[in-house]
């Protein structure tokens, strides 16, 4: 039986019991990204691990219809992986994001802020000291294949005075809030990693760059798990009755595949 815990505007159901508070890292990725690099790389690292928790919130964009007997879960899934040095890493699959109506939609903050705030509070309660948010952007110039930015130090790679990077709300809001709540710059990392990706199909170069990141922090991946998700994504690409890449007609991030 799961253990229920509430953090303001999010509800967490732990599969067994809440993990003990100890030094940890957290990786969050939005599964509905161009090039599919975040989901393929993330799921190859998660491999066959079962979720240790599920995050629910009234601020998710969840369609009113579902089906049985295979319910599509309206939640973010939390996984736990141990790196090569025995350190704990949480991986969170993000979906069901409330999309802004346009670039000037200031009401999107009403949906995004409570969710991002309470995700950060939950992670801090687990002892997370290093946070990595993985995203992608469409760009032809791949001279620097991945832009990195640390919200604690305000230093990055791939940015310049004459080139800034526009980000959607979860990409900047979660690491920004984490950097303010965990304000010890010597001990904590709040990092955005934004891989440059091709919007058509699966961008294998982008996948490889993210797998190299996971490897750099001591997390292995299973190529077979990556191939399984490639097959699913490619089959959806070929089926015009489904959106690419998720079962979701309002582009809110979809359910789990």
């Amino acid at each position: 039986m799961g253990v229920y815990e509430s953090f303001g505007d999010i509800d967490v159901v732990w599969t067994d019991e809440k993990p003990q508070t100890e030094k940890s890292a957290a990786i969050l990725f939005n599964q509905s990204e161009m090039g599919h690099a975040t989901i393929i790389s993330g799921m190859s690292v998660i491999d066959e691990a079962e979720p240790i928790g599920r995050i629910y919130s009234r601020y998710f964009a969840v369609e009113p219809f579902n089906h049985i007997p295979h319910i599509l879960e309206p939640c973010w899934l939390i996984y736990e992986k141990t790196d090569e040095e025995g350190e704990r890493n949480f991986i969170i699959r993000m979906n069901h994001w409330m999309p802004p109506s346009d670039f000037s939609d200031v009401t999107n903050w009403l949906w995004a802020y409570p969710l991002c705030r309470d995700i950060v509070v939950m992670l801090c309660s687990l002892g997370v000291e290093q946070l990595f948010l993985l995203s992608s952007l469409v760009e032809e110039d791949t001279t620097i294949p991945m832009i990195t930015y640390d919200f604690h130090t305000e230093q990055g790679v791939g940015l310049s005075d004459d080139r800034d990077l526009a980000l959607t709300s979860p990409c900047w809001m979660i690491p920004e809030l984490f950097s303010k709540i965990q304000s010890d710059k010597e001990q904590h990392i709040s990092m955005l990693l934004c891989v440059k990706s091709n919007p058509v199909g699966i961008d294998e170069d982008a996948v490889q760059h993210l797998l190299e990141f996971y490897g750099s922090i001591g997390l292995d991946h299973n190529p077979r798990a990556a191939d399984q998700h490639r097959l699913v994504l490619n089959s959806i690409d070929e089926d015009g009755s489904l959106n690419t890449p998720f079962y979701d007609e309002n582009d809110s991030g979809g359910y789990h595949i």
Side-chain angles (χ1 to χ4, degrees):
M1 182 175 180
V3 175
Y4 168 80
E5 189 173 19
S6 179
F7 294 88
D9 287 302
I10 68 170
D11 301 305
V12 183
V13 179
W14 302 105
T15 304
D16 294 316
E17 59 183 26
K18 180 180 179 179
Q20 296 294 315
T21 301
E22 62 183 61
K23 179 181 177 181
S24 309
I27 302 102
L28 298 88
F29 67 88
N30 187 347
Q31 68 174 30
S32 55
E33 292 277 13
M34 292 292 186
H36 310 325
T38 54
I39 188 169
I40 292 177
S41 61
M43 295 311 299
S44 68
V45 172
I46 292 169
D47 194 13
E48 296 181 356
E50 292 294 324
I52 65 165
R54 289 168 168 81
I55 301 171
Y56 300 86
S57 177
R58 61 177 173 170
Y59 293 106
F60 288 161
V62 178
E63 295 72 33
F65 296 99
N66 213 318
H67 58 76
I68 54 176
H70 303 294
I71 289 288
L72 298 172
E73 294 190 270
C75 58
W76 293 4
L77 300 180
I78 312 173
Y79 301 87
E80 181 178 336
K81 301 290 289 187
T82 303
D83 63 25
E84 295 172 349
E85 298 182 357
E87 299 289 340
R88 184 175 67 181
N89 295 263
F90 297 108
I91 302 178
I92 299 180
R93 292 177 63 180
M94 300 166 54
N95 56 4
H96 308 304
W97 190 261
M98 181 62 72
S101 59
D102 54 58
F103 288 108
S104 60
D105 178 14
V106 295
T107 64
N108 189 248
W109 174 265
L110 300 175
W111 301 90
Y113 174 72
L115 176 58
C116 294
R117 175 200 63 204
D118 295 333
I119 290 292
V120 169
V121 171
M122 183 269 291
L123 292 174
C124 290
S125 77
L126 296 170
V128 170
E129 296 183 357
Q130 298 185 342
L131 182 146
F132 303 94
L133 198 148
L134 309 188
S135 183
S136 67
L137 78 160
V138 177
E139 186 167 314
E140 294 181 359
D141 181 9
T142 56
T143 305
I144 300 178
M146 188 154 55
I147 294 173
T148 62
Y149 183 79
D150 189 331
F151 285 78
H152 272 111
T153 63
E154 298 184 350
Q155 295 179 347
V157 175
L159 297 172
S160 60
D161 292 337
D162 59 351
R163 188 204 186 286
D164 53 18
L165 177 62
L167 301 171
T168 56
S169 41
C171 294
W172 68 267
M173 199 179 297
I174 293 175
E176 165 67 8
L177 288 172
F178 185 80
S179 71
K180 295 301 186 291
I181 293 174
Q182 297 283 44
S183 58
D184 186 346
K185 296 183 179 181
E186 297 298 323
Q187 298 296 326
H188 299 99
I189 294 175
S190 184
M191 185 75 71
L192 168 73
L193 293 94
C194 195
V195 67
K196 297 179 181 180
S197 184
N198 189 316
V200 180
I202 297 173
D203 189 324
E204 294 294 350
D205 289 338
V207 171
Q208 186 58 41
H209 291 310
L210 291 184
L211 289 176
E212 290 172 359
F213 157 72
Y214 281 109
S216 72
I217 60 173
L219 291 176
D220 295 328
H221 73 282
N222 184 347
R224 187 188 312 173
D227 287 341
Q228 289 174 345
H229 280 77
R230 286 187 179 96
L231 288 173
V232 173
L233 291 167
N234 284 329
S235 68
I236 295 175
D237 280 341
E238 295 169 2
D239 187 344
S241 65
L242 296 175
N243 271 11
T244 305
F246 304 105
Y247 310 89
D248 177 16
E249 294 184 355
N250 64 14
D251 195 29
S252 63
Y255 293 95
H256 308 293
I257 63 171

